[in-house]
Amino acid sequence: MESARDHLRLIAGGLLVGLPLLWTMEVWDDGAVLPAGKLLVLLAIAFAVVVGFNALAGFRRERSWRELLVDSVQALGLSVIVAAGALAVLGRLDPTLGLPTLIGRIAIETIPVAFGASLAATVMAAPDENESGGLGPDAATVGSLGRLLVAGAGALYFALNIAPTDEVRILAAEATEIQLLVAVLVSLATSLAIVFHAEFRGGRSDPSGDGPLDGPIGETIAAYAVSLIISLVLLWSFGSTDGTGPRTVLAQVVMLGIVASFGAAAGRLLVGSGSAGAGGGGSSGQREGTPA
Amino acid sequence: MRRNWLEWAILAASVAAIVGLVGYLLLQVVADDGPARISVEAQAAEGAPAPTGWTLPVVVRNDGGEAAGTVVIEAAATVGGEEEVAELTIELLPAQSEAALVVGFSDRPEGEVSFRLVGYESP
């Protein structure tokens, strides 16, 4: 029963990664407060990530576009069911809350679960099922735009755990301009170090090509820009930018950007080397960031 | 056919879950039930003596399309010939939801208890 194991792994991965946000009160409340349109935007982003992960390496090796779509729909659909089940176990689906809140909660908790399910389908797969190991393609074959895509997914996944919490708003409100500048430099320096100098599995020391985004500096700056955009989208989605001036929005983006840039670096480590057995090493690096 | 019955069942359940979730959210976008609409209903029959005087269960409903935060409601009644005012606060009252609360007076109120919405935060 190969497919039963695939689905079991998908559900387990979804729970592993979704756990921190399933236990976060701000997220339960966001399910009640966020307008349906924003929830749809978030679900669309989550689906895009699921499709992207499955396209890079899914839980079936060879497949057509139709199969890719079917696998992605299955991953997202199972995530909806897993999120609803987990919320029910936690007693967060009290009927007196009203249908809009129940649906909203399930929708928002589906997102981290779907990320986990995609990770489970790809990098958490047992090496013998996944002969090339890790995500399969290495940094050179993924290309600079592919690496930025993976950086975006990593940023989204890390920042999603932090974006709904009040801490971002507090950090942003209290930060001085100097602190924000330091935060920018720290984000850039750490992501440069993680990907190119710290010798993690999946790290790189040589440029992957000769384009402007293939060198360490160019790639680091581009990945940081992607991280900031992801941060802004998440802050908007969770209503943190409502009624706040540009100074506060900027401070929030920079503060959340620290977390996002770590995620972007971790994401790039996953496709970094493509060496056999990267599944274990890569996924543990990814899971370090889950506590919210 | 490469896919077995389990895969078909999971695919069907997945499609149903997504269609249900996304469909409902789309309906919400189109319907737009407007701002929070808060009403209070006293369960007069369930009022009971208590060590602190008298307790009266109330149900606060939000029938609107938006959630309301920090909902403050004032309950006023005549108790022993004097006007007594009790205050209730609800942290978050989501759209189309209800909250069960208990309001306390020093003794059994004479006549009707009247309720007033003091205000709420629109999140």
Side-chain angles (χ1 to χ4, degrees):
Chain A
M1 290 297 275
E2 196 57 34
S3 72
R5 286 204 188 121
D6 283 338
H7 292 115
L8 209 59
R9 193 174 70 243
L10 216 116
I11 292 168
L15 279 176
L16 270 177
V17 170
L19 228 50
L21 286 189
L22 282 165
W23 253 264
T24 304
M25 208 163 78
E26 284 96 333
V27 181
W28 307 335
D29 288 349
D30 280 329
V33 170
L34 290 186
K38 279 190 177 177
L39 290 172
L40 284 170
V41 169
L42 280 172
L43 279 177
I45 293 174
F47 187 63
V49 171
V50 170
V51 173
F53 263 111
N54 273 333
L56 278 173
F59 56 100
R60 264 179 231 93
R61 302 308 303 165
E62 72 296 327
R63 63 166 112 220
S64 60
W65 270 101
R66 198 174 136 269
E67 279 187 311
L68 172 67
L69 194 69
V70 168
D71 284 351
S72 303
V73 166
Q74 264 186 11
L76 189 70
L78 274 180
S79 302
V80 175
I81 296 167
V82 169
L87 284 170
V89 167
L90 295 177
R92 295 301 101 197
L93 293 182
D94 185 340
T96 61
L97 289 168
L99 202 52
T101 299
L102 300 185
I103 298 285
R105 268 189 190 170
I106 294 171
I108 200 159
E109 297 286 12
T110 293
I111 296 158
V113 174
F115 283 6
S118 329
L119 279 176
T122 55
V123 295
M124 289 183 197
D128 59 340
E129 283 180 47
N130 187 347
E131 282 160 21
S132 60
L135 279 172
D138 63 28
T141 54
V142 166
S144 56
L145 290 182
R147 283 197 302 275
L148 285 187
L149 204 73
V150 176
L156 194 60
Y157 164 55
F158 269 46
L160 185 69
N161 280 301
I162 308 291
T165 64
D166 284 333
E167 280 81 346
V168 181
R169 270 163 272 196
I170 295 169
L171 288 175
E174 295 179 358
T176 62
E177 272 74 9
I178 302 291
Q179 270 175 313
L180 292 175
L181 279 174
V182 171
V184 170
L185 291 176
V186 166
S187 305
L188 286 167
T190 43
S191 70
L192 183 73
I194 289 172
V195 178
F196 295 99
H197 297 292
E199 298 204 336
F200 277 107
R201 190 199 296 271
R204 279 167 283 142
S205 45
D206 299 321
S208 316
D210 50 12
L213 295 180
D214 287 323
I217 302 290
E219 183 181 314
T220 300
I221 291 174
Y224 185 54
V226 169
S227 307
L228 292 182
I229 293 168
I230 297 282
S231 301
L232 181 61
V233 170
L234 282 177
L235 289 166
W236 170 81
S237 305
F238 289 112
S240 301
T241 59
D242 295 352
T244 26
R247 160 73 170 74
T248 307
V249 172
L250 185 81
Q252 286 179 353
V253 168
V254 168
M255 283 306 188
L256 187 58
I258 301 175
V259 181
S261 65
F262 271 61
R268 280 175 294 151
L269 287 184
L270 287 179
V271 291
S273 64
S275 60
S283 59
S284 68
Q286 189 76 322
R287 260 178 269 141
E288 273 164 23
T290 49
Chain B
M1 212 58 232
R2 245 183 69 233
R3 293 176 185 281
N4 57 28
W5 64 269
L6 176 73
E7 297 225 4
W8 280 111
I10 289 175
L11 183 62
S14 302
V15 170
I18 294 175
V19 168
L21 192 69
V22 172
Y24 185 82
L25 290 173
L26 282 173
L27 278 181
Q28 288 279 108
V29 171
V30 176
D32 187 17
D33 289 328
R37 238 183 4 261
I38 290 162
S39 59
V40 187
E41 197 189 319
Q43 317 290 103
E46 287 166 40
T52 52
W54 188 264
T55 55
L56 176 68
V58 295
V59 173
V60 182
R61 291 194 52 80
N62 175 4
D63 294 306
E66 280 174 23
T70 326
V71 183
V72 179
I73 287 158
E74 220 176 64
T78 313
V79 181
E82 276 181 46
E83 169 98 333
E84 217 170 82
V85 174
E87 198 180 81
L88 296 168
T89 306
I90 304 162
E91 227 32 79
L92 181 66
L93 191 59
Q96 325 256 304
S97 73
E98 61 181 41
L101 298 100
V102 174
V103 57
F105 294 103
S106 60
D107 204 346
R108 182 173 196 150
E110 293 137 30
E112 289 280 291
V113 179
S114 67
F115 296 94
R116 180 175 79 92
L117 175 66
V118 178
Y120 63 84
E121 190 184 337
S122 72

